[in-house]
Amino acid sequence: MDDNQATAGGAAAGAVPGAATRPGSAVGGPADDVVIALEGVTKRYPDGTVAVHALDLVVHRGEICVLVGPSGCGKTTTLRMINRLVEPTAGRLEVEGVDVTRSDVTALRRRIGYVIQAAGLFPHWTVRRNVATTCRLLGWERARTEARIDEVLGLVGLDPAEFGDRYPHQLSGGQQQRVGVARALAADPPVLLMDEPFGAVDPVARDRLQAEFHALQRRLGTTVVMVTHDLDEAVRLGDRIAVLRQGGHLEQYDTPARILAEPATPFVADFVGSDRLITLMAVTGIDAGTLPAAGPADAGLPEVGAGATLREAVVAMLGSADARVRVRGPSGPVVLGLADVHRLLAQPS
């Protein structure tokens, strides 16, 4: 058994690759809902360097899969093999049930959106023309293209009348990145690949772009594979996270909560860090149904909403002398204490 089989759990014959069979791995959706499937995918360069090693991974419809790991772990190589900017050396890679190595590469790329760091816009083209790139390559009629430009610019929060005729140098970094996302979504691709999409903008803009993108992805249901060096970004956006180590070995593929609460290997534990419980609190909700009802004596406690995370609740606790907060539950206010925080962290969803 090779390293990847050992860490991926040694799926039984006929199992969908990457659908969690090891301790700490996520339970995948139904096999007929798989949009991207990698089975034993390897990238070996002529000098013998292995960038990706026998990688098994599946991404289900509507999921955001985030690839994380140190430099040299094969994150971007894996991403680029999906649209054949890099050709796999071995294994099978399917998009919507079709082996990409047997597909026409131009047709493949036109149905996969691609967003890179710093947007990658054509500097001598207006925003409208940049966004229209794939629509024009697909031969869309002008009226259909213009309507779609207006639609996707609106989706990413840019007024077509205000921004459509500007050039990239007339936009902020965050606005350029929005245009890059609009361009990638213009032809309504079933798959979106994103390589460090928010890495080139300032922290305030990055936080806002992450929130806007997550809401947009949930609205559209696009299947996304994203590369990032930022674990907090992976936890915030990812439905599942693939942790890779040097040489493209998959260490764990799971939900953010499970990776943070139950690292599958020492490498994963070291990668997510000793402060991982703080990050875990950011993705762990409050189960109001398991908490005691608030009484009259609790009226003066700090209060958080029913949709708050444990991290938000703990921050509010800092304003309480007895380290408790009121939570607005669906059946009335309840009280959360430190013991409840420990219990909820031990049972992540």
Side-chain angles (χ1 to χ4, degrees):
M1 180 179 292
D2 65 27
D3 290 343
N4 205 63
Q5 288 172 315
T7 57
V16 178
T21 54
R22 60 174 296 163
S25 59
V27 177
D32 61 359
D33 206 30
V34 172
V35 174
I36 301 170
L38 289 75
E39 185 172 3
V41 171
T42 296
K43 179 59 185 178
R44 180 180 291 104
Y45 289 99
D47 65 358
T49 300
V50 177
V52 177
H53 173 78
L55 179 60
D56 292 346
L57 198 72
V58 297
V59 185
H60 294 272
R61 192 170 308 282
E63 280 188 337
I64 299 178
C65 165
V66 185
L67 309 178
V68 299
S71 297
C73 73
K75 303 184 298 293
T76 295
T77 300
T78 298
L79 189 82
R80 291 178 177 175
M81 285 193 288
I82 295 173
N83 67 356
R84 289 180 60 192
L85 288 174
V86 173
E87 294 287 351
T89 306
R92 184 176 180 85
L93 200 164
E94 295 183 352
V95 174
E96 294 193 309
V98 178
D99 185 344
V100 301
T101 63
R102 298 174 182 269
S103 303
D104 176 80
V105 68
T106 302
L108 173 73
R109 290 174 187 166
R110 288 179 181 176
R111 63 189 182 93
I112 296 178
Y114 192 42
V115 181
I116 61 175
Q117 190 177 76
L121 303 178
F122 296 108
H124 56 294
W125 286 3
T126 64
V127 166
R128 297 190 71 85
R129 189 173 179 187
N130 267 285
V131 173
T133 302
T134 304
C135 301
R136 290 180 173 178
L137 290 171
L138 291 172
W140 286 20
E141 294 180 355
R142 182 181 180 86
R144 180 186 179 192
T145 299
E146 292 299 316
R148 183 59 176 168
I149 292 170
D150 290 346
E151 181 181 5
V152 293
L153 285 176
L155 286 174
V156 299
L158 296 176
D159 181 354
E162 180 179 355
F163 294 96
D165 293 327
R166 294 189 187 183
Y167 288 87
H169 72 272
Q170 297 173 311
L171 306 174
S172 69
Q175 289 167 346
Q176 289 182 24
Q177 207 60 33
R178 286 184 174 88
V179 175
V181 173
R183 180 178 61 183
L185 293 173
D188 196 22
V191 172
L192 181 62
L193 307 180
M194 308 184 79
D195 192 358
E196 298 277 2
F198 310 121
V201 296
D202 66 82
V204 174
R206 183 183 307 128
D207 185 72
R208 184 171 62 250
L209 285 169
Q210 288 170 352
E212 292 174 356
F213 171 74
H214 193 259
L216 178 60
Q217 187 273 340
R218 289 300 188 250
R219 175 179 172 182
L220 299 178
T222 308
T223 303
V224 177
V225 180
M226 175 186 293
V227 166
T228 183
H229 283 88
D230 184 345
L231 182 63
D232 286 339
E233 180 172 82
V235 168
R236 180 177 188 180
L237 297 179
D239 294 298
R240 289 197 285 177
I241 298 173
V243 183
L244 303 170
R245 62 177 168 87
Q246 286 84 351
H249 295 262
L250 178 64
E251 289 286 303
Q252 189 170 0
Y253 185 37
D254 216 323
T255 64
R258 290 287 294 277
I259 283 176
L260 292 168
E262 302 174 27
T265 68
F267 176 89
V268 177
D270 183 65
F271 181 78
V272 300
S274 58
D275 61 348
R276 63 181 182 271
L277 289 182
I278 296 174
T279 307
L280 177 59
M281 286 193 294
V283 293
T284 303
I286 300 171
D287 184 0
T290 67
L291 301 175
D298 303 316
L301 293 176
E303 188 172 81
V304 297
T309 65
L310 282 184
R311 183 157 70 178
E312 291 166 333
V314 169
V315 169
M317 278 183 188
L318 296 177
S320 171
D322 56 356
R324 296 188 305 145
V325 294
R326 281 165 51 104
V327 179
R328 295 190 296 272
S331 301
V334 294
V335 176
L336 176 78
L338 280 177
D340 302 304
V341 172
H342 287 292
R343 174 176 55 80
L344 291 169
L345 285 173
Q347 302 170 2
S349 57

